[in-house]
Amino acid sequence: MSRGFFRSTAIVGMTTLLSRITGLVRDVVYATVIPAVFMEVFVLANQIPNLLRRLFAEGAFSQAFVPVVAEYKTKRSKEEVRELVDSVAGTLGGFLTILSLLGVLAAPVIVLICAPGFATKDEGQFALAVEMLRWTFPYLLFVSLTALAGGVLNSYQQFALPAFTSVVLNIVMIVFAAVVSPHFEQPVVALAVGVFVGGLLQVFIQLPALLKLGVIRRPHWNLRHEAVKRIARLMGPAIIGSSMGQLSVMISTGIASLLADGSMTWLYFADRLVEFPLGVFSIALATVILPSLSSQHAKEAPEEFSATMAWAVRLVCLIVIPASVALFALSGPLTVALYHYGQYRPQDVEMTRLALMAFSLALLGWSMIKVLATGYYAQQNTKGPVKIAMRALGLTMVLNVIVVAGLWLTDHLQTPGAHALLALTNGVGAMMNATLLYLGLLRTNVLRRGQAMRGLLIRIVLASALMAAFLWWFGGDVGTWLETGKIERIVWLAGLVVGGIALYFAALWVMGVRAGQFRLQPAATSL
C-alpha cells in the first residue's frame, strides 16, 4: 500500500513542484516590474477571493465532498455517483455565482473592512483596490469548480491533472505581468485581469477528463439530493473551522494595511516562500491520503486507517522539520537570490527576510494541520477541527491585540519591521492548532504514542540542527549577498541547498535511520 501512496504523493508532489517553481518565477516577475507600494494592492485584491477559496474550495467543501464521493464510489452505482456530481456542481456553481456578483457590487465596502489603512494612504490605493477586486472576486467561482473537478478526479486516483491546474494559472500570470502589464495605464491592474482569465482556464482544462470518466452529465440545482444535504451539513462546521484560520489572516491583513507602506507586500513574498515546501509536500500528502482514508473508514478498517495516519505524520516530521529550519537559516540568501531585482529594493529584501524568519515557525504547524485534519475529515468529523481552530484563533487574536496595542502605545505602527510580529503570531496559532489536533487523534486511538517515534524525532531534530549550523556558517550575511552577481547568487544558493540536504540525510543515516522506517505497515499504528 505504501508504494502506491509514495507513487501518488510523488506524482502530486512533482506536479506541485512544477507549480511552485512557476509560482516562484511569477513572484520574481512581480517583484521586478511592480513597486512594493502598488504590489500590496494586488496582494489584497488577490487575497480576498483566495481566502474564500480556501474556505469553499480547499477548505470546507473539499473536506466534506471527497469523503462522500469516496463512499458513493465504494457503495453505490456509477449512475448514483453521476447524479451526485451533477447535483453538487449545479448547486455549488449557482450559489457561488450569486456570491461572486455580490462581491463585485460590494467591493468598496469589502476593501474598507479588510484594509482600512488604504483609505488614508496617498498613492490612491483604495480606488485601485476596488477596481482590482472587481476583476479578482469571480475567481472564487472558478477555483471552487476547479476544486470540485479535482475532488472527483482524485477519488478515481487521478492526481496529476488537478495538481497541474496551478501551473496553468501561474503561466497566465507570468504572461500578464511580463507582457501585458506595460500596456495598462496602471500595470498592476493587469495582474487582476490575469487572475480572472487564469481561473477560467483552470476549469476548462479538467472538463475532458471528467467527461471521459462519465461522472458528470448535466449539472443542475438540487438541494433535495441526500448527498448534497449531507455535504452541506458537513460543510457547516467545516466552514466555521476554516473561517477561523482565514479570519486570523484577514485580521493580520487589516493590521498590515495600517503599518508602513509595503508591509503587505513583504508578508506576501515571505509567505510565498513558505508555501513552496507546504505545497510540494504537505498539501500533496494530504491530498493523496484523504480519498484512501475515506475509503478505509467506509470499509470499517480502523487498523489500516491508523497505520496510514501514523505513516503520514512520520513523513511530515522527516521533511518539514528540516525545511522549517532551512527557511530560517537561509531567509536572507533566499530573499536576495529570488527577489532582489528591478523594483525590489534592499529595504524590501530586509523586511521580507524578517517576515520569512517569523513564518518559518508556521510551516511546521500548517503542514501538521493539513495532514492531521485529514484524519478527522475522512471520518466525516468536522466538529472536532472547528473547536480546535476556534481556540487557535482566540490565541492569535489575543496576540494580535497585544502587538497592535504595543505598537500604538509606543508610536511604532509605521516602523518598518513591525509586520514580522504578525507573521510570528500566526505561527504560534498554527502550532497550537496542530498540537490540539494531534492530541485529539491520540485520545481516540487513531494515533498511539510509541518509543520508536520519540527516538526518530530526536534524530530528526539533531540532524536538522547540524544542517542549520552548516547553512549559517557557509550562508554569509545579507550584505555580501546584495553585492554578489545574479548568477553567483543562484550557484551559491544551490550549493547551500544541496549541501544542506546531503548533510541532513547523511546525519540521519549515521544515527541509524533507514528507509524501512517509513514503509506503511498496517500493524504499525503507534507513534
Side-chain angles (χ1 to χ4, degrees), residues 178-446:
V179 180
V180 179
S181 67
H183 301 286
F184 279 67
E185 181 179 352
Q186 180 53 267
V188 72
V189 176
L191 304 186
V193 180
V195 170
F196 185 94
V197 174
L200 275 175
L201 288 178
Q202 284 184 300
V203 177
F204 286 125
I205 65 170
Q206 294 190 92
L207 286 180
L210 278 180
L211 294 173
K212 185 177 179 181
L213 281 177
V215 294
I216 189 168
R217 180 175 49 196
R218 190 176 65 257
H220 55 275
W221 182 275
N222 186 5
L223 281 174
R224 296 182 178 180
H225 191 285
E226 177 273 333
V228 173
K229 293 179 180 179
R230 181 144 52 104
I231 290 169
R233 286 196 300 270
L234 291 170
M235 281 183 67
I239 284 176
I240 297 173
S242 297
S243 66
M244 295 303 102
Q246 306 319 314
L247 181 58
S248 174
V249 174
M250 211 47 114
I251 291 171
S252 297
T253 298
I255 295 172
S257 73
L258 300 170
L259 303 181
D261 285 350
S263 293
M264 292 169 64
T265 299
W266 303 327
L267 288 169
Y268 168 80
F269 282 118
D271 177 67
R272 297 313 303 167
L273 291 177
V274 174
E275 289 282 340
F276 192 95
L278 181 66
V280 169
F281 177 74
S282 305
I283 295 177
L285 179 60
T287 300
V288 168
I289 65 174
L290 178 57
S292 297
L293 287 171
S294 301
S295 296
Q296 289 163 359
H297 178 67
K299 291 186 296 185
E300 299 181 358
E303 290 298 319
E304 291 184 21
F305 190 101
S306 296
T308 302
M309 282 301 305
W311 172 79
V313 171
R314 288 197 299 273
L315 280 184
V316 169
C317 292
L318 177 71
I319 301 299
V320 178
I321 290 176
S324 300
V325 171
L327 280 179
F328 186 92
L330 291 178
S331 56
L334 278 168
T335 305
V336 175
L338 295 174
Y339 296 142
H340 185 49
Y341 307 100
Q343 299 285 343
Y344 220 69
R345 304 163 299 166
Q347 182 191 15
D348 297 324
V349 169
E350 178 61 18
M351 295 300 102
T352 304
R353 182 185 72 85
L354 293 175
L356 181 56
M357 292 174 71
F359 267 138
S360 63
L361 172 66
L363 174 59
L364 180 59
W366 289 336
S367 296
M368 279 295 185
I369 290 169
K370 285 292 182 184
V371 172
L372 294 173
T374 303
Y376 292 83
Y377 297 128
Q379 300 176 78
Q380 302 184 27
N381 171 13
T382 54
K383 293 182 179 179
V386 167
K387 296 177 182 178
I388 291 171
M390 291 179 70
R391 294 177 189 175
L393 174 64
L395 174 63
T396 304
M397 290 181 66
V398 168
L399 292 175
N400 279 332
V401 169
I402 293 173
V403 167
V404 173
L407 292 173
W408 181 73
L409 289 173
T410 58
D411 199 25
H412 282 89
L413 274 176
Q414 294 295 316
T415 301
H419 64 289
L421 296 174
L422 301 180
L424 186 60
T425 62
N426 278 277
V428 172
M431 289 300 297
M432 176 183 176
N433 196 333
T435 300
L436 293 178
L437 286 171
Y438 176 75
L439 293 176
L441 292 176
L442 285 178
R443 283 194 298 270
T444 56
N445 288 323
V446 172

